[in-house]
C-alpha cells in the first residue's frame, strides 16, 4: 500500500489541483491524507508532515506533497518504488535545476540518481523503514523552513539514502512543481509573505544547525 500525504496552508485552489492530479495519475492502491494548516490551528510544516506520517504509518511507501506539486504522468509511483528498490535508497527529495544546483550523478543498478547541494520539500519519498529507523520530523522548528533538511540529514546518517538530497533523474518527467516551473512563484505566490518566510528560514536554519544528533526521534 502507498500512502500519499498533502500539506497545505491558505491555498485551497492549489490543494484541489494537487488532489485531482493524484487521483488522475495514480494507478496503484493508495491511502490519502490531507494535513491542513489554518490561521486558527497553526502547527507548521514539521508537525503537519508528522501528522501525515502518523496517518499513513501502516503504508509500505509514503510520498509527501506540498500543495503546489503533483504528478503529471501515470507510472510515477511505480517508478519511485522500483528505483528505490534497485538502489536500496529509502528517501528521495524531488529537486530540479536551475532552481537547485546539481552537484553530481551516480549510477546504481542501472538507475541514474542526481544529487543536489540543497533541497526543497515539494515532494518527499520514504519507505516504511525510514519511520522505523529515523522516525518523526523534529518539531522544535518554527512554522516554516529547514525541517525536511534536518530529517534528510538524519536519514542519510542512518544509511538509508544514497546521498543527502538525491532523486532519480527521470522524476522530472513525472512530477510538476510550481516552484520549479513558474518564474518567481516561490517568491510571489507563497502562502507566507516573503519577509516572514525569510525570517523563519534564518531562524530555522540555526535550529537545524543545532538539531539533536540522535538519528531516531519518536512520534508524540
Amino acid at each position: 500500500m502507498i500512502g500519499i500525504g498533502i500539506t497545505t496552508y491558505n491555498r485551497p485552489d492549489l490543494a484541489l489541483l494537487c488532489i485531482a492530479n493524484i487521483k488522475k495519475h495514480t494507478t496503484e492502491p493508495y491511502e490519502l491524507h490531507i494535513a491542513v494548516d489554518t490561521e486558527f490551528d497553526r502547527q507548521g510544516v514539521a508537525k503537519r508532515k508528522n501528522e501525515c506520517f502518523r496517518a499513513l504509518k501502516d503504508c509500505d511507501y509514503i510520498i509527501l506533497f506540498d500543495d503546489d506539486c503533483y504528478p503529471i504522468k501515470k507510472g510515477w509511483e511505480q517508478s519511485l518504488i522500483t528505483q528505490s528498490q534497485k538502489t536500496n535508497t529509502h528517501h528521495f527529495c524531488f529537486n530540479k535545476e536551475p532552481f537547485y544546483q546539481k552537484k553530481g550523478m551516480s549510477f546504481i543498478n542501472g538507475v541514474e540518481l542526481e544529487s543536489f547541494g540543497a533541497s526543497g520539500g515539494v515532494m518527499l519519498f520514504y519507505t516504511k523503514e525510514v519511520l522505523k529507523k529515523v522516525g518523526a520530523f523534529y518539531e522544535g522548528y518554527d512554522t516554516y523552513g529547514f525541517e525536511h533538511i534536518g530529517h534528510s540529514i538524519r536519514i542519510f546518517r542512518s544509511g538509508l539514502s544514497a546521498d543527502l538530497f538525491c532523486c532519480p533523474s527521470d522524476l522530472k518527467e513525472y512530477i510538476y512543481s510550481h516552484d520549479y516551473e513558474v518564474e518567481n512563484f516561490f517568491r510571489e505566490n507563497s502562502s507566507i509573505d516573503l519577509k516572514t518566510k525569510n525570517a523563519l528560514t534564518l531562524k530555522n536554519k540555526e535550529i537545524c544547525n543545532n538539531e539533536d544528533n540522535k538519528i531516531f526521534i519518536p512520534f508524540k
Side-chain angles (χ1 to χ4, degrees), residues 61 80-89 92 109 125 127:
Y61 304 96
L80 278 167
I81 292 168
T82 298
Q83 295 184 94
S84 168
Q85 293 170 341
K86 285 184 175 180
T87 61
N88 195 31
T89 298
F92 294 132
N109 292 330
F125 168 89
T127 71

Side-chain angles (χ1 to χ4, degrees), residues 101-162:
Q101 185 175 2
K102 185 168 64 177
K103 72 171 188 177
M105 186 178 295
S106 59
F107 295 87
I108 304 174
N109 292 330
V111 176
E112 184 178 277
L113 293 181
E114 296 178 339
S115 296
F116 293 80
S119 176
V122 294
M123 194 226 75
L124 303 166
F125 168 89
Y126 307 90
T127 71
K128 194 173 183 178
E129 193 65 22
V130 171
L131 272 64
K132 294 178 181 177
K133 196 169 182 178
V134 178
F137 282 82
Y138 175 58
E139 294 188 357
Y141 291 98
D142 209 326
T143 51
Y144 170 86
F146 273 84
E147 59 289 310
H148 71 279
I149 300 287
H151 199 236
S152 294
I153 291 170
R154 287 163 44 219
I155 295 169
F156 179 65
R157 290 208 317 267
S158 76
L160 292 179
S161 62

Side-chain angles (χ1 to χ4, degrees), residues 29 48 52 56 68 73-74 78 88 111-112 115 135 146 157-158 162 181 187-188 195-196 198-199 202:
R48 291 303 183 193
C52 290
L56 304 170
D68 56 357
K73 182 180 176 182
K74 283 183 171 60
Q78 295 102 325
N88 195 31
V111 176
E112 184 178 277
S115 296
F146 273 84
R157 290 208 317 267
S158 76
E181 304 295 341
R187 293 174 57 87
E188 297 174 2
K195 183 178 179 181
T196 301
N198 288 341
L202 287 173

Side-chain angles (χ1 to χ4, degrees), residues 10-28:
N10 274 354
R11 299 195 293 197
D13 292 345
L14 285 175
L16 290 172
L17 180 63
C18 177
I19 294 166
N21 277 284
I22 287 170
K23 290 181 177 179
K24 179 179 180 180
H25 296 294
T26 308
T27 56
E28 295 291 332

